[in-house]
Amino acid sequence: MASFVPHHAMKHMIEMKFNDEDVPGSPWEVEVAAMDAAGGLQVLGEHLKHFPASKPASIDISAPGRSKADLSVDVVGPSKRTVPFTLTETSSGIFKCQFSASEVGSHVINVNVDGQPIPGSPFVSKAYNAGLIRVSDVPTGVVGQTCQFRVDASQAGEGQLEISINDGEVPNHVQVLGGGRCLVTFTPEMPKTHTIDIKFNGEPVPGCPFVCRVQGSSRVTVNLRHLELLPVQQPASFLIHIDGGGNAELAVSVRGPAHSTLPVKVTGNVRSGFTAEFTPLEVGAHTVLVEYNGAPVSGTPFTCKVYDTGRVTVTSMPKGAIGKSLQFTVDASEAGEGNLEISISAGGRNIPTQVHPQGSARFGVSFVPLEPVDHTINISFNKEPIPGSPFMAHVQSDPNHIVVKGASLASTAVGKSSYFTLSNVSGNVEEVEVNVDGRYSSPKVH
């Protein structure tokens, strides 16, 4: 059992649906008459509550036993300007007031009979304009992927918004954004054109029906892992594969650190795949976005880091003596993200190296040379030699430091001659004294 209490004497429409389908016989019309406590004085009509702006509107006035001269009417718009109207007697004691208002908003209608307000007067009727509704961002869809568009009714006045997709076959969800604006989403399940019908207070919105073309679901794959680190000013490319036929819109974009868009060249076809190529022009994070029918492909947007090996700088290579620590500094603060590798060798052997982080991608490097020979310093950034690498550090002998080396210092065979060398010796051989403890023949220095 359904019931309602009417508050106005006017025709009422009763609509009934079950699972979004009209119940047979719906809608029903119910004419509600006013109580005759006021001697039959009343105002009727569907435009008594709301009416379309810039279109003819009317109300009916019941005043039994009165003439047109006994009635006075005025209609005032939102800006307090009077709206012109015409008043005619359609039958004995029944009058029709016709008017057309251009403003959207609340209009005050005053009706007086014999100089007194008719019951309910003044009436407030709200003008609306479905032509001021704007629909935007109607997408191209893909089966199984959410589509969305926007409806802006902020300038259209008050009213009821009705949205139907494919005559109600496709459910939709309306998210109210405030200020008369809303976001509509739906998920197509069939690869066919979807029509969007929008009504405002029962009137079609201009431009209806809107069309959303839906393509079949195709699987798009991209491999971008090799783009994680990219050298500046060098072309970079990646492959795009599409499984599934049909025409579709493929879009590839690359944005630099300052959100500037880089040119992207896309070649190929659906059967063999596509190749996208671009050239980063500056150091920093770049965003790669691949869209298929307006939807981002899985794995994108992807951030790749662009570096410039040429912007790694090194202070002057040191000169020194054996046994004394040598230092220099490497500055990679302007080169972008990456891995810095430093190795030092002398005579084909690696020399222990100490790297001291100084902050902001700056590093102090130190080592202790053990031989009076040139030391080779190799520096690479992301596996690429920096400009000038390898560097040479010149190491001289220290007159106060004698270097002794040779395998026999650790072990030697019994009965066989053994030797070791002394370098960086100043003076004559006769001034060198060597003592060996144990049973041995006298050592010889030469």
Side-chain angles (χ1 to χ4, degrees):
M1 173 72 70
S3 63
F4 71 98
V5 178
H7 295 280
H8 302 284
M10 59 185 295
K11 185 185 295 181
H12 285 58
M13 302 293 294
I14 301 175
E15 295 184 28
M16 186 177 297
K17 292 185 177 183
F18 183 72
N19 287 335
D20 290 329
E21 294 184 8
D22 288 326
V23 171
S26 176
W28 295 275
E29 294 184 3
V30 177
E31 188 71 44
V32 177
M35 296 180 64
D36 202 24
L41 297 177
Q42 58 181 325
V43 179
L44 305 172
E46 60 179 336
H47 294 157
L48 194 59
K49 287 299 180 182
H50 57 80
F51 63 92
S54 301
K55 293 183 179 181
S58 65
I59 57 173
D60 293 321
I61 303 171
S62 174
R66 271 75 166 187
S67 66
K68 181 179 175 181
D70 297 325
L71 276 66
S72 65
V73 178
D74 64 50
V75 181
V76 180
S79 62
K80 307 304 180 183
R81 289 186 296 182
T82 299
V83 177
F85 66 91
T86 61
L87 184 64
T88 58
E89 186 172 6
T90 58
S91 62
S92 177
I94 303 298
F95 305 87
K96 182 178 291 291
C97 175
Q98 295 178 304
F99 57 94
S100 178
S102 59
E103 286 185 279
V104 170
S106 297
H107 288 63
V108 177
I109 304 174
N110 293 285
V111 180
N112 295 328
V113 177
D114 297 330
Q116 297 296 320
I118 202 169
S121 181
F123 304 92
V124 177
S125 184
K126 298 178 180 179
Y128 64 90
N129 189 345
L132 297 179
I133 292 181
R134 298 291 177 260
V135 180
S136 60
D137 301 333
V138 177
T140 297
V142 178
V143 170
Q145 297 185 12
T146 300
C147 297
Q148 63 181 27
F149 59 92
R150 296 177 182 274
V151 180
D152 184 351
S154 60
Q155 304 300 316
E158 292 189 23
Q160 182 69 32
L161 194 65
E162 300 174 66
I163 301 172
S164 172
I165 301 176
N166 283 3
D167 295 324
E169 294 180 359
V170 180
N172 66 82
H173 173 72
V174 179
Q175 177 186 353
V176 178
L177 303 178
R181 298 173 177 86
C182 62
L183 181 68
V184 184
T185 60
F186 67 96
T187 303
E189 297 180 352
M190 297 291 292
K192 65 179 184 180
T193 298
H194 285 51
T195 56
I196 302 171
D197 289 289
I198 302 176
K199 293 182 178 181
F200 189 63
N201 289 330
E203 293 186 18
V205 169
C208 281
F210 298 94
V211 174
C212 173
R213 293 178 174 83
V214 178
Q215 304 289 341
S217 59
S218 295
R219 192 166 52 126
V220 182
T221 57
V222 294
N223 184 5
L224 302 174
R225 290 186 178 180
H226 64 289
L227 301 182
E228 187 172 354
L229 287 173
L230 294 177
V232 73
Q233 301 288 349
Q234 297 294 322
S237 63
F238 59 92
L239 299 178
I240 305 171
H241 295 285
I242 301 178
D243 295 333
N247 295 324
E249 182 180 351
L250 182 68
V252 182
S253 63
V254 180
R255 292 187 178 274
H259 302 290
S260 57
T261 301
L262 276 66
V264 181
K265 180 180 180 181
V266 180
T267 57
N269 52 58
V270 173
R271 178 173 297 179
S272 62
F274 297 90
T275 299
E277 181 178 301
F278 65 97
T279 301
L281 303 177
E282 56 184 324
V283 171
H286 286 60
T287 302
V288 179
L289 175 62
V290 180
E291 294 178 294
Y292 183 71
N293 282 338
V297 171
S298 177
T300 70
F302 178 85
T303 300
C304 52
K305 301 165 185 175
V306 178
Y307 65 90
D308 187 354
T309 302
R311 298 177 74 170
V312 179
T313 59
V314 182
T315 56
S316 299
M317 284 296 110
K319 296 180 181 179
I322 55 175
K324 294 185 177 181
S325 178
L326 302 183
Q327 297 91 24
F328 61 92
T329 301
V330 181
D331 186 349
S333 59
E334 301 295 326
E337 294 193 33
N339 299 315
L340 189 67
E341 297 179 78
I342 304 171
S343 65
I344 302 175
S345 62
R349 295 185 300 275
N350 288 331
I351 304 300
T353 306
Q354 301 295 323
V355 179
H356 312 280
Q358 298 176 344
S360 300
R362 294 179 175 86
F363 305 89
V365 185
S366 63
F367 66 98
V368 178
L370 300 178
E371 296 182 73
V373 296
D374 288 344
H375 284 52
T376 303
I377 302 173
N378 287 285
I379 304 176
S380 62
F381 189 66
N382 291 330
K383 304 296 183 181
E384 295 181 13
I386 71 171
S389 181
F391 303 91
M392 302 301 295
H394 302 290
V395 177
Q396 301 174 346
S397 60
D398 186 344
N400 298 318
H401 186 75
I402 297 176
V403 178
V404 181
K405 61 182 179 179
S408 61
L409 293 174
S411 62
T412 185
V414 175
K416 292 184 178 181
S417 297
S418 302
Y419 67 92
F420 56 87
T421 61
L422 294 84
S423 59
N424 200 34
V425 178
S426 59
N428 300 321
V429 173
E430 290 78 10
E431 298 175 344
V432 178
E433 179 181 347
V434 178
N435 295 314
V436 180
D437 294 331
R439 297 180 64 184
Y440 59 87
S441 56
S442 299
K444 295 180 181 180
V445 181
H446 53 85

